[in-house]
Amino acid sequence: MRTVICLVLLLCAAGFAGPVAAQVTVSGGLSGQIRTFPERPTRAEQDVRAAQPTFTGEAKLEAQGPRKRFMVTFNPYVRYDAVDGQRSVFDLHELKVSAGGQHWHVKAGYDVEFWGVMEVVNPVNVLNQTDVTEDFLTKRKLGQLMVDYTLLGNFGTVDFYALGGFQPMRFPTATARLSPAVPIHQDDVMYGSGRGRSQLEGAVRYFRNVRNVYVGVSQFYGYARDPEMLVAFDSQSMPFVAARYDLEHQTGVEVQVTLGNVILKSEDVFRADAHGRRSHALSAGSEYDLGSVLQSGRTISLFAEYYFDSRSQSLVIPFRNDVFAGTRVSLNDRRSSEVRVWGNYDLSARKVTAIMVDASARLSERLKAVVTYRGIMARQDALASIARDSHFVFKLEAFF
Amino acid sequence: MTSITALVIGQVLTPGAGSGAGGADQGRQIFAEVSRRNGGYGDQRAGVSMQLKRKSGAATTRTMDIATLEVANDGTRSIVSFDSPLDVKGTKVLTYSHGEQDDEQWIYLPAFKRVKQIADASKTTSFMGSEFTYEDLNSLNIQLDKFSYRYVKTEDVNGAACFVVERVPLYPRSGYNRQVVWIDTVKYVVLKVEYYDRKDALQKTLSLSGYRQYASALWRADEMLMTNHQSGDETKLRWTGYTFKSGLAVNDFSASALKR
């Protein structure tokens, strides 16, 4: 880790030592939000306050040389939760230097890399740790220390990654809403490697677009981002859960075919951990754009996806054998108003267990309002411990 | 160049040229000349200020940077990078505009650092709430094979003699039944476009003005005003800081380049 940080600082110094002045831009945003839970919690020890205020701040500083051939990016993110201290987070989302030419690109430092094509669950997206306290079934990722060397050409794009400074997952406190029934000890973390967080990880990914067909293949070796949860007992013989991160190989395949207003896509992963255990996850589905059919000037997308995971548990994705369906409507108006509604159907339990609504609109050049609803209807499965934690979030975002 | 121009003008001014195969040939030849004179730039870049004005008078402004690359025998590639409004700052849209075949389009969402390929059908949707659609923006770069053509007549626009050519989209899922285009007979630049919707009703008019010549050859409009006759709203694009042949290449217009 120290080596990478030294490399970052050296590259910074080298990039700006020349006579060419860098172009510097600063931007960012602040938000205030209230989470409200209409129902009383499942467990007596949980917080009964109906409203949970949260504040976030984010800044982005970019300094770039001529034609973006050299760039330094600093993009920290902070979240303060007035009720659940473990939901407060400081994330070094981006702190990187990057340089490149026509056929290559290199970056070193903290960054977020998104892999995948699906709308709901992206099993191939494995490099960054998930910020699970941010939202139910969140897509938000934490910055990951990495060096990424990219080769570009007619053959496609190949990325080689070296990763370090693993970040274990953060969980809500035991008394907070949306927390598991058995308390998770944040500091009792076990690693499959004696190097612990210092374990070096690696990945390679190839992807290519040929007209309307996109194919991506990836190979990752490192800690599973989604830990195995082990039950243990404390000195008073009270049970708690500790997270264990084993080293694993993950092979991922992503495919997307765009046929006019229909998009077909899938993500497949095959995992093998250090204990010889193998697992498989598949997500496949389609997206249909109604906008051109209705000629309304609006973007109206329908999507349906199937997800299967052979593992028995996951903290990131509380679904095993589910169909998701939903719609996303963008009015394409001056306020960029849009709403997304979707839900799942659990094929094993044969019932709908979650419904999600996200709506947003710009209030002014600098203000945006966001309203979300997370309806959780499961009572006896992976979602049982949060069965009464359906909630609304009212958020106001200001940008500078 | 002179001989081609003379050929085109000689043909289009022939009486009765607006009908039949001759009208089609002449219409296409005029657009070929527009393309020949204003293409060949390699790559170009410009800042764009987009003012959206409602019929009621309320106005808002968006700013962006648009970079375009000509690709031999395969249309153009372009990236629109948004600067404002601030909640979409950093969002980029990459478009591969082909001939008759479907265009390809990707959007980069900075909040998730995600590049997502989107359905080509989105070409008929409004661009950032403006009176322009993605289809309108793409067709600013002349690509001959995207349309069939019919020369109609000559007519003055603001004192400038213009060829009037009707063009019909050949690509799938266009929002228009046809477009009528006024082209300056001297500079071979587009001065006006009328867009007719799928019911063949006049939907919008685009007026281009403030043409200036760059790099001793390329004419570019400083201002484009799109008026929606059905809603009464209008959008004005102001182009500034044109640069050409700055060395942009195919890899600068790839899905992976959007993240940089």
Side-chain angles (χ1 to χ4, degrees):
Chain A
M1 182 170 162
R2 280 185 197 149
T3 312
V4 175
I5 291 173
C6 287
L7 179 65
V8 169
L9 295 173
L10 264 174
L11 283 168
C12 285
F16 294 108
V20 180
Q23 182 187 340
V24 179
T25 57
V26 180
S27 58
L30 299 167
S31 86
Q33 59 176 272
I34 297 286
R35 289 207 300 185
T36 66
F37 297 85
E39 286 185 89
R40 293 185 67 81
T42 310
R43 302 185 304 281
E45 70 272 20
Q46 283 181 285
D47 196 285
V48 293
R49 276 171 283 188
Q52 184 172 346
T54 306
F55 304 92
T56 69
E58 185 170 14
K60 186 160 190 171
L61 184 150
E62 288 179 300
Q64 61 186 51
R67 295 183 51 215
K68 293 188 178 181
R69 291 301 181 225
F70 183 87
M71 184 179 276
V72 176
T73 309
F74 180 43
N75 176 204
Y77 169 88
V78 62
R79 180 174 62 239
Y80 170 73
D81 189 294
V83 173
D84 180 3
Q86 283 190 198
R87 203 166 168 258
S88 298
V89 65
F90 173 77
D91 173 26
L92 209 50
H93 206 58
E94 291 176 83
L95 172 58
K96 64 182 180 187
V97 291
S98 53
Q102 278 302 316
H103 300 286
W104 64 279
H105 189 252
V106 66
K107 67 181 176 189
Y110 283 87
D111 200 9
V112 175
E113 280 283 301
F114 182 92
W115 296 356
V117 292
M118 304 306 293
E119 190 69 19
V120 181
V121 181
N122 300 103
V124 302
N125 192 22
V126 71
L127 291 193
N128 295 81
Q129 185 55 278
T130 306
D131 184 7
V132 290
T133 58
E134 193 258 352
D135 187 13
F136 173 68
L137 201 65
T138 182
K139 280 185 181 288
R140 189 172 192 284
K141 297 286 185 177
L142 301 171
Q144 167 71 49
L145 188 61
M146 66 175 77
V147 176
D148 172 16
Y149 180 68
T150 309
L151 283 174
L152 305 124
N154 292 332
F155 56 85
T157 303
V158 187
D159 279 290
F160 300 93
Y161 300 91
L163 310 149
F166 175 76
Q167 296 191 69
M169 196 174 274
R170 293 179 59 84
F171 308 101
T173 50
T175 54
R177 303 301 291 259
L178 293 159
S179 62
V182 181
I184 298 173
H185 282 199
Q186 188 74 54
D187 299 326
D188 287 313
V189 180
M190 290 171 273
Y191 293 99
S193 162
R195 293 188 179 88
R197 289 187 60 195
S198 305
Q199 172 68 38
L200 187 67
E201 304 173 311
V204 58
R205 180 175 182 240
Y206 166 79
F207 62 94
R208 186 178 184 186
N209 260 94
V210 181
R211 301 295 288 201
N212 58 337
V213 178
Y214 165 86
V215 177
V217 182
S218 55
Q219 181 67 40
F220 165 79
Y221 176 72
Y223 288 126
R225 271 40 182 166
D226 196 358
E228 183 178 7
M229 305 309 288
L230 302 175
V231 178
F233 294 89
D234 63 17
S235 55
Q236 276 99 42
S237 301
M238 295 298 291
F240 68 91
V241 170
R244 178 184 170 87
Y245 298 89
D246 276 313
L247 290 169
E248 70 173 15
H249 291 274
Q250 175 172 304
T251 305
V253 179
E254 32 186 314
V255 179
Q256 177 168 309
V257 181
T258 306
L259 302 167
N261 50 3
V262 177
I263 298 177
L264 305 173
K265 44 194 177 179
S266 73
E267 290 181 31
D268 243 323
V269 296
F270 301 89
R271 314 180 191 98
D273 71 13
H275 306 290
R277 293 176 296 190
R278 294 174 185 277
S279 64
H280 169 229
L282 162 74
S283 188
S286 70
E287 198 172 322
Y288 180 68
D289 191 324
L290 269 174
S292 63
V293 178
L294 301 177
Q295 291 284 320
S296 61
R298 299 181 175 92
T299 303
I300 305 170
S301 299
L302 304 175
F303 62 90
E305 296 180 0
Y306 169 68
Y307 180 70
F308 169 79
D309 195 329
S310 67
R311 291 180 305 183
S312 59
Q313 61 165 353
S314 166
L315 288 169
V316 180
I317 308 158
F319 304 107
R320 300 269 68 78
N321 182 30
D322 293 67
V323 172
F324 305 96
T327 183
R328 186 179 56 248
V329 179
S330 300
L331 299 185
N332 293 317
D333 58 354
R334 284 142 213 259
R335 296 190 183 282
S336 296
S337 311
E338 58 183 40
V339 62
R340 182 171 178 256
V341 182
W342 62 277
N344 77 314
Y345 182 77
D346 185 328
L347 293 171
S348 302
R350 297 190 178 179
K351 63 182 178 184
V352 174
T353 56
I355 287 180
M356 321 275 180
V357 180
D358 297 272
S360 64
R362 187 181 304 116
L363 302 179
S364 72
E365 288 300 299
R366 293 181 182 277
L367 284 178
K368 184 178 178 181
V370 182
V371 178
T372 61
Y373 173 68
R374 302 289 178 254
I376 302 159
M377 285 157 286
R379 302 292 172 187
Q380 292 176 339
D381 55 13
L383 300 175
S385 66
I386 56 170
R388 291 186 186 171
D389 290 341
S390 296
H391 60 277
F392 292 90
V393 179
F394 301 96
K395 181 158 74 171
L396 189 62
E397 296 177 305
F399 302 90
F400 59 86
Chain B
M1 183 175 91
T2 309
S3 59
I4 294 173
T5 310
L7 172 70
V8 172
I9 294 173
Q11 286 179 331
V12 298
L13 292 182
T14 304
S19 59
D25 288 346
Q26 290 151 13
R28 187 180 170 92
Q29 281 172 339
I30 291 167
F31 267 91
E33 183 63 8
V34 174
S35 176
R36 194 190 68 76
R37 291 196 188 193
N38 294 293
Y41 52 84
D43 65 81
Q44 75 170 41
R45 205 167 184 151
V48 178
S49 163
M50 183 168 78
Q51 188 184 56
L52 289 63
K53 198 170 171 187
R54 281 182 180 277
K55 189 179 180 181
S56 61
T60 52
T61 302
R62 318 261 180 262
T63 56
M64 68 207 80
D65 176 274
I66 300 181
T68 308
L69 177 78
E70 290 182 306
V71 181
N73 304 317
D74 194 23
T76 58
R77 296 183 179 190
S78 63
I79 293 180
V80 179
S81 308
F82 296 98
D83 278 329
S84 74
L86 293 172
D87 60 301
V88 295
K89 183 179 173 68
T91 303
K92 299 175 189 174
V93 177
L94 167 67
T95 305
Y96 289 5
S97 186
H98 303 294
E100 281 184 57
Q101 293 175 314
D102 281 342
D103 292 343
E104 299 167 78
Q105 204 161 54
W106 294 261
I107 185 164
Y108 172 65
L109 305 166
F112 300 104
K113 308 215 55 185
R114 178 177 186 177
V115 177
K116 185 179 177 184
Q117 188 164 17
I118 52 179
D120 179 56
S122 61
K123 62 162 68 97
T124 59
T125 58
S126 163
F127 176 73
M128 293 291 288
S130 74
E131 301 312 315
F132 286 85
T133 62
Y134 285 94
E135 179 181 8
D136 300 336
L137 290 177
N138 289 342
S139 64
L140 293 176
N141 300 309
I142 305 291
Q143 285 187 49
L144 287 178
D145 294 340
K146 278 189 176 295
F147 297 90
S148 65
Y149 303 90
R150 184 175 69 87
Y151 166 72
V152 179
K153 60 183 177 182
T154 56
E155 185 177 86
D156 283 5
V157 172
N158 299 328
C162 289
F163 302 124
V164 183
V165 179
E166 182 183 84
R167 62 181 186 180
V168 175
L170 296 175
Y171 48 88
R173 295 177 293 281
S174 170
Y176 305 113
N177 194 41
R178 63 191 173 98
Q179 300 171 8
V180 180
V181 187
W182 280 257
I183 296 161
D184 187 300
T185 58
V186 177
K187 296 176 183 167
Y188 275 81
V189 295
V190 175
L191 293 184
K192 190 168 92 168
V193 185
E194 286 182 349
Y195 298 88
Y196 292 81
D197 65 17
R198 301 298 294 175
K199 295 172 186 167
D200 206 37
L202 177 61
Q203 184 183 1
K204 300 186 293 192
T205 298
L206 174 66
S207 301
L208 302 95
S209 59
Y211 271 99
R212 285 196 282 176
Q213 201 167 26
Y214 296 86
S216 306
L218 304 166
W219 289 98
R220 293 291 182 270
D222 281 351
E223 197 168 292
M224 300 178 182
L225 176 66
M226 182 73 91
T227 305
N228 188 321
H229 302 291
Q230 295 172 359
S231 67
D233 297 343
E234 59 184 42
T235 297
K236 187 182 285 184
L237 300 184
R238 289 181 196 277
W239 298 70
T240 55
Y242 276 110
T243 56
F244 299 91
K245 297 187 192 298
S246 59
L248 296 175
V250 170
N251 286 338
D252 292 316
F253 293 81
S254 63
S256 56
L258 288 179
K259 293 191 288 184
R260 285 180 235 146

